[in-house]
Amino acid sequence: MAEAAERSLTAHLFEIFMLILATQIMGWLFQKMKQPAVIGELLAGVIVGPALLGWVVEGSLLEFISELGAIFLLFMVGLETRLEDILKVGKEAFIVAVVGAIVPFFGGYYFGLYIIGFSQVSALFLGAALVATSVGITARVMQELDVLSRPYSRIILGAAVIDDIEGLIVLAIVSGIANTGSVETGGIIRLVIISFAFVGGAMALVPFVRRIPLDRLPFQSPLGVSIAFGLAMATLASYIGLAPIVGAFMAGMVMAELREEYELEEPIHAIESFLAPIFFAYMGVQLDLAALGSRSVLIAGGVVSLIAIVGKLFAMLGALTQGLKNAIVVGVGMVPRGEVGLIVASIGLSAGAVDEREFAIVIFMVVVTTIIAPLSLRPLVAWADPEVAASRESA
Amino acid sequence: MAEAAERSLTAHLFEIFMLILATQIMGWLFQKMKQPAVIGELLAGVIVGPALLGWVVEGSLLEFISELGAIFLLFMVGLETRLEDILKVGKEAFIVAVVGAIVPFFGGYYFGLYIIGFSQVSALFLGAALVATSVGITARVMQELDVLSRPYSRIILGAAVIDDIEGLIVLAIVSGIANTGSVETGGIIRLVIISFAFVGGAMALVPFVRRIPLDRLPFQSPLGVSIAFGLAMATLASYIGLAPIVGAFMAGMVMAELREEYELEEPIHAIESFLAPIFFAYMGVQLDLAALGSRSVLIAGGVVSLIAIVGKLFAMLGALTQGLKNAIVVGVGMVPRGEVGLIVASIGLSAGAVDEREFAIVIFMVVVTTIIAPLSLRPLVAWADPEVAASRESA
């Protein structure tokens, strides 16, 4: 027993080591090529994962550590975001989130139902998988470019929170249809109330938190309080059914009020810089390239990816108050679907509503949207926000 | 499938949150009572663990994260330790390690065999469980007291590395006897060579590492290189059969040469301050208080604890060059047995060489030595090292 445990300890240590080593090297390479490090980190996972070398395999332990990485990433992003700045662009964020959910959902649903002959339920799942943005990738690119404080970044972050709530609601609806054939209105209303109460409750904490003397609470350190709070909110979000990163982001935004006074940013950034690359690399590890082998999957996947991208680009309509260029950045920033789309599709798979081929189409869409967004964001931001380009040149 | 995974994600997030919250509060409480925070963290684990509240349970995921915490703790301690300072007290460390292994081993063996009627093999395992120091606890207390750079701390750290090699060798010998009835000399010699080659190889890196420009290697950041190197050494140590923390400590000591140039200390400390308390709390979570219920276990456990303590106090003979007071600090610093003793006993348990009652006696010894050392170290250091006491009063 103990010896087996020791062996698995060595194996897991080796996996974490490999992920850190590979993300460090590939991230460096992509930075050298003036591309986002995050894509290098994703590819690092593909390289050491089952798709190529097979040194790192999927497992619940790595999955959890990668989730911790996403939590610290969004907590850090929250720390750099003030609620008042998000509220200033609240109307824009709301429209972006709503348009960016409706267009891809119906686009995916009708394409599935009428063009490639999915069943009613499969088509609903395809639409649902296209709803929620996976904000981690975009947040990381914005962090790298040091533009988290720009209005377009704030619109994206605010919209991503609302997006996640929409995704949860849509998932509840389509799961209900798949399982019982009907929508349980009471349950959906409860979900909506709980989700908004969670986000609203976190926002309501902000005015009070400024008066809390973190160093005089019965805790070892202000950093300890912050981490405990971030994990509490991530746990609570996960318990409600929202993504843990939404809770972590809200917690970071609450703590942003105290960030400077207690020097929370550097230590949280250190933890994030250790764990977040594991999150992106693990996305790559999970990538089943073999599933993408068939030609019909590639064609359907290509069209669905297009719907996913164009659908979110429609969302830019909500951000036109910031000028066309910034609005385009917002639209592209909302494109990545990542793990959220996969979760929706895998729920459909285990409910028997989605088959292996349909699942592979969703994987294809996730890969395309996850890679295309960061690749295009960098030049787009430089074009839309010349100040950034200038400050980066001189740096 | 996905839903079950989500549920377990929430459950594990809750456990990590509870461990952070409880260690923060209990650590604060113990600091207020002028006691080491690490004991509060241990008790935090007892409180939220199966022994009391049952909110956190043993599991491979928590075990791995707690091991990562120990790795970052010893990596950090290594960063604050220069090889030349360890070598200066090398002779002392060696004698401390050898005396501190021989006396408890034979004390435990003879007590088991002649006084409480253990079988030959059980008595060997009891002796083996008393050999290796669990240096994490002591290192953390020395870190809290800010005395890691004192000669007595260095003797303890150096001796702990040698100790772990001794423990590995003793374990190989008694496991061989338990499994095949004989000792395979060739295997033992190979172990000795590999262990010393590992430690010697790491030490040999030190003169070269100073000339390495970390920021010009093909890695994203100097911090990333350091973490990758620390994890590589921990993995390698674990693969050889040594404790991962020995590898992490050696890696830290190698990187100590570059510590100031690349500002490695603060970010590593941030990661450590998040993960290390989880290591100590998880020790508490694993504590099976029910196993300590019987009177015969308590009595035998009390005597074995005494042997464990007195045995390591003999080791102070090796440190008498530093004066009696400092030598006593060294002896007490070597007392904690922690997880190393438990691993030895559980290997005996799964080999059928140790029964449940004998296992409980070892647990009792581990609890006593793990708690008594940090409790006495604080006043002892203040007594042996008045400068420290003075600087702490004025702080």
Side-chain angles (χ1 to χ4, degrees), chain B residues 42-336:
Chain B
L42 260 162
L43 289 179
V46 175
I47 293 171
V48 300
L52 286 170
L53 296 174
W55 292 345
V56 177
V57 295
E58 282 183 63
S60 58
L61 191 141
L62 279 187
E63 192 187 324
F64 182 78
I65 292 177
S66 82
E67 188 65 40
L68 271 187
I71 286 170
F72 274 95
L73 171 66
L74 269 290
F75 186 59
M76 180 72 204
V77 168
L79 268 185
E80 294 178 19
T81 309
R82 276 181 190 270
L83 177 63
E84 48 189 310
D85 295 321
I86 292 271
L87 291 180
K88 266 184 217 154
V89 294
K91 207 185 66 191
E92 284 89 342
F94 189 78
I95 301 175
V96 165
V98 172
V99 176
I102 292 176
V103 181
F105 178 79
F106 285 103
Y109 174 69
Y110 286 122
F111 174 75
L113 196 61
Y114 295 120
I115 316 280
I116 49 172
F118 277 25
S119 71
Q120 175 88 19
V121 178
S122 310
L124 280 173
F125 269 99
L126 181 60
L130 296 179
V131 167
T133 295
S134 166
V135 76
I137 291 267
T138 299
R140 175 73 195 278
V141 175
M142 296 314 204
Q143 196 187 40
E144 265 186 65
L145 296 174
D146 199 17
V147 294
L148 275 172
S149 61
R150 300 292 163 141
Y152 51 83
S153 296
R154 270 140 188 191
I155 295 176
I156 293 173
L157 289 169
V161 170
I162 304 169
D163 229 28
D164 198 63
I165 297 177
E166 294 170 345
L168 177 66
I169 295 166
V170 171
L171 179 61
I173 295 174
V174 302
S175 297
I177 295 175
N179 291 329
T180 65
S182 67
V183 179
E184 199 213 319
T185 324
I188 305 293
I189 292 173
R190 214 178 54 226
L191 254 184
V192 174
I193 293 173
I194 293 175
S195 303
F196 279 99
F198 176 73
V199 173
M203 294 191 329
L205 286 177
V206 170
F208 300 101
V209 89
R210 241 166 302 193
R211 280 175 247 149
I212 297 177
L214 278 196
D215 46 356
R216 285 163 62 195
L217 297 181
F219 286 86
Q220 279 194 65
S221 68
L223 177 65
V225 189
S226 314
I227 294 179
F229 181 61
L231 288 171
M233 293 287 283
T235 308
L236 202 56
S238 179
Y239 181 74
I240 293 174
L242 290 170
I245 58 171
V246 167
F249 174 69
M250 299 305 301
M253 211 158 55
V254 172
M255 300 307 288
E257 304 294 324
L258 298 164
R259 176 187 79 190
E260 277 155 36
E261 200 173 339
Y262 298 101
E263 292 170 358
L264 300 173
E265 229 170 326
E266 282 193 29
I268 297 285
H269 180 65
I271 299 172
E272 181 226 330
S273 71
F274 166 47
L275 293 174
I278 297 178
F279 170 67
F280 295 114
Y282 192 66
M283 279 192 184
V285 168
Q286 289 172 292
L287 204 68
D288 184 4
L289 290 179
L292 308 177
S294 103
R295 206 176 142 204
S296 75
V297 167
L298 291 182
I299 295 172
V303 179
V304 171
S305 304
L306 215 62
I307 295 171
I309 294 165
V310 174
K312 287 290 181 191
L313 284 179
F314 266 97
M316 84 165 104
L317 290 174
L320 279 177
T321 53
Q322 308 295 314
L324 181 65
K325 288 180 176 182
N326 285 351
I328 293 176
V329 172
V330 170
V332 173
M334 301 297 291
V335 162

Side-chain angles (χ1 to χ4, degrees), chain A residues 6-265:
Chain A
E6 286 304 297
R7 255 201 304 281
S8 96
L9 170 66
T10 312
H12 286 310
L13 277 176
F14 176 74
E15 291 186 318
I16 299 282
F17 159 66
M18 276 313 307
L19 291 180
I20 298 287
L21 184 73
T23 52
Q24 279 289 316
I25 295 174
M26 291 297 290
W28 170 84
L29 195 67
F30 272 71
Q31 280 175 331
K32 279 278 148 196
M33 301 189 311
K34 308 252 178 234
Q35 296 303 326
V38 68
I39 300 190
E41 294 172 356
L42 260 162
L43 288 180
V46 175
I47 292 170
V48 300
L52 285 172
L53 297 175
W55 293 345
V56 177
V57 294
E58 283 184 64
S60 57
L61 192 141
L62 279 187
E63 191 187 327
F64 183 78
I65 292 177
S66 81
E67 187 65 40
L68 271 186
I71 286 171
F72 274 95
L73 171 66
L74 269 290
F75 187 59
M76 180 73 204
V77 169
L79 269 185
E80 295 178 20
T81 311
R82 276 182 190 271
L83 176 62
E84 50 189 309
D85 295 322
I86 291 273
L87 291 180
K88 266 183 218 155
V89 293
K91 206 185 67 192
E92 283 89 342
F94 188 80
I95 300 175
V96 166
V98 172
V99 176
I102 291 175
V103 180
F105 177 80
F106 285 103
Y109 174 69
Y110 286 120
F111 175 75
L113 196 61
Y114 295 119
I115 316 281
I116 49 173
F118 278 24
S119 71
Q120 173 89 19
V121 178
S122 310
L124 280 173
F125 269 99
L126 181 61
L130 296 180
V131 168
T133 295
S134 166
V135 76
I137 291 267
T138 300
R140 176 73 194 280
V141 176
M142 295 316 203
Q143 196 187 41
E144 264 186 67
L145 297 174
D146 199 18
V147 293
L148 276 172
S149 61
R150 301 291 163 139
Y152 51 81
S153 297
R154 271 140 188 188
I155 294 176
I156 293 172
L157 289 169
V161 170
I162 304 169
D163 228 29
D164 198 62
I165 298 177
E166 294 171 344
L168 177 66
I169 295 165
V170 171
L171 179 61
I173 294 173
V174 301
S175 297
I177 293 174
N179 291 328
T180 65
S182 67
V183 179
E184 199 213 321
T185 325
I188 304 295
I189 293 173
R190 215 178 53 226
L191 254 183
V192 174
I193 294 174
I194 292 175
S195 303
F196 278 99
F198 175 74
V199 173
M203 294 190 330
L205 285 177
V206 170
F208 299 101
V209 89
R210 241 166 301 195
R211 280 173 247 149
I212 296 178
L214 278 197
D215 47 356
R216 287 163 62 195
L217 297 181
F219 285 85
Q220 280 194 65
S221 68
L223 176 65
V225 189
S226 314
I227 294 178
F229 181 62
L231 288 171
M233 293 288 283
T235 308
L236 203 56
S238 179
Y239 182 75
I240 294 174
L242 290 169
I245 58 171
V246 168
F249 174 70
M250 298 305 299
M253 212 158 55
V254 172
M255 299 308 288
E257 303 294 324
L258 299 164
R259 177 187 78 191
E260 276 155 35
E261 199 172 340
Y262 298 101
E263 293 169 357
L264 299 173
E265 228 170 326

